[in-house]
Amino acid sequence: MKLVMKFGGTSIGNGKKIRQVAELVKEYKEKGNDIIVVTSALEGVTDAILHAAHEASGEGNKIKANEFISNITAQHKKALYDAVENDLVDDTIAKLDVLFTDFKNDLNGICSLGELTLRSTDKLSSYGERLVAPILSASLRSVGIESESFTGGEIGILTDDNYGSAYPFESTYKAVKDHISKLSETSIPVISGYIGVNKSGAITTLGRGGSDFTASIIGASIKADEIWLWKEVHGIMTTDPKLVPEARPLSIISYIEAMEMSFFGAKVLHPKAIEPAIRHDIPVRVKNTFDPDYPGTLVVKEQETGENVVKAVTVIDNVALINISGAGMVGTIGVAARVFNTLADAKVNIVMISQGSSEANLSIVVDESQQITAVEVLKKEFINGVVGEIESDAHIAVVAVVGADMAGIPGVAGNVFRALGDNNINVIMISQGSSQHNISFVVKKEAATKTVQILHKEFSLDILK
Ligand code: ADP
Ligand code: ASP
Ligand code: MG
């Protein structure tokens, strides 16, 4: 089989784990599969880089910045020595040294400028993945498999300039295919996930968790038989196992369900990761690196109707609710259009919308990081009448129940809200897409975990079927 295998941060948390991953890839290669590997940064490194970058721009402390680079250097060199045979280390050290120097210069540059743009943030956070690909590739050579490493840009991922959440141009798919077809068939390419390059040659990132997206872009480019996302969980689960220990892995779900789950906060998948797979109907598998024989979750186009109409419960808690209200809105044409255009112009991402039939109120949920911008632009837009009040609240969370079979089945919403009512959970806002693949609603932030637990139980998601 032609397989793209992506390894997440926890799977390659240190040198020993990288070595285990190399052995795992070797095993699948020896079974006769053609494999392309996509890698994330070491566990926690992207967060640490972003933190250091913000500190550098705020404090301008070069001593601290250089200490950070020394730590990153030590961490990656240790990973290299643990993952790679001694006689193969030298070549890779030379490659890494160039990256350590560039990283140091870039971070010192931020200290001097006292300014961190989206473009420089992307360049800095790309070092996590760029440092790991050469190490994992060397580790594969150590276990006797030919391998070369590439960045996302080198393999052909060309994106727009939307730093922090860049999107690949259509031409990417052909470019990646051409690049890969030129490589030796016996060698396994190891590609840095999460990153691409734009037309001006600057490094871009595909958004947090973006290595899933990279794997899927590459899988679609080469028309892989399957795309495998290796993580530290047994698959896509009925809910986040960190919130509900009884959560269990789903053996099979549809593309639409996986997408809905990721849109509504299931961190296990990047929200755009399914989209490229759909182009060529490529199955996506989520597997556990630490239990490789477990089948994991298979994500496919369509799935037979099962017993459970509700498949999963998700939660997003870094969101804010904006309420736009006023008697002047009733019957006034174009208020909603103005709201959406204004938010779109300010690049505010809308998570959820709800309008009461009285038309005197429009509620919108946005990312918490965009709360202030959203309120500012809306107040400016409606400075002269129509809208009475614009209020916002970040102490909320969006909970969603997801399942493609919910469409057309009466009573699911009734069960959701009855269960919440019975448990004294106050629902602030409700929304259901007309596709009926999810029912999502807003609760107070402090009630979110309890809400998820109640619904997980209500729909018997904890019981193995
Ligand atoms: P990786 O970085 O390896 O790609 P992630 O950390 O992005 O892996 O995704 C795995 C994490 O997603 C788990 O630690 C888990 O807590 C969280 N998660 C949230 N919702 C779900 C879900 N429905 N199923 C599985 N994991 C989930
Ligand atoms: N390292 C990146 C992040 O932490 C991308 C990824 O892990 O998929 O967001
Ligand atoms: Mg991830």
Side-chain angles (χ1 to χ4, degrees), residues 6 209 211-212 231 267-268:
K6 173 238 134 153
S211 56
D212 294 340
K231 300 178 185 255
K267 195 192 144 237
V268 64

Side-chain angles (χ1 to χ4, degrees), residues 3 16 26 44 72 78 115 127 152 157 198 239 259 270 289 332 350 374 383 392 395 433 446 450:
L3 297 176
K16 289 202 177 77
K26 179 182 180 181
I72 285 280
K78 174 153 182 16
E115 184 188 58
Y127 283 107
I157 300 181
N198 64 15
T239 192
M259 282 166 82
H270 183 282
T289 313
T332 308
I350 300 176
I383 197 154
S392 69
H395 300 289
E446 53 273 19
K450 191 175 164 204

Side-chain angles (χ1 to χ4, degrees), residues 50 117-123 125 159-167 194-196 198 203-210 213 270 272:
L50 290 170
T117 61
L118 290 174
R119 176 177 167 148
S120 38
T121 306
D122 271 13
K123 170 106 186 276
S125 63
T159 73
D160 58 21
D161 299 341
N162 192 11
Y163 297 105
S165 187
Y167 197 76
Y194 178 55
I195 59 174
N198 64 15
I203 290 184
T204 54
T205 68
L206 309 178
R208 293 306 307 273
F213 192 20
H270 183 282
K272 292 176 196 148

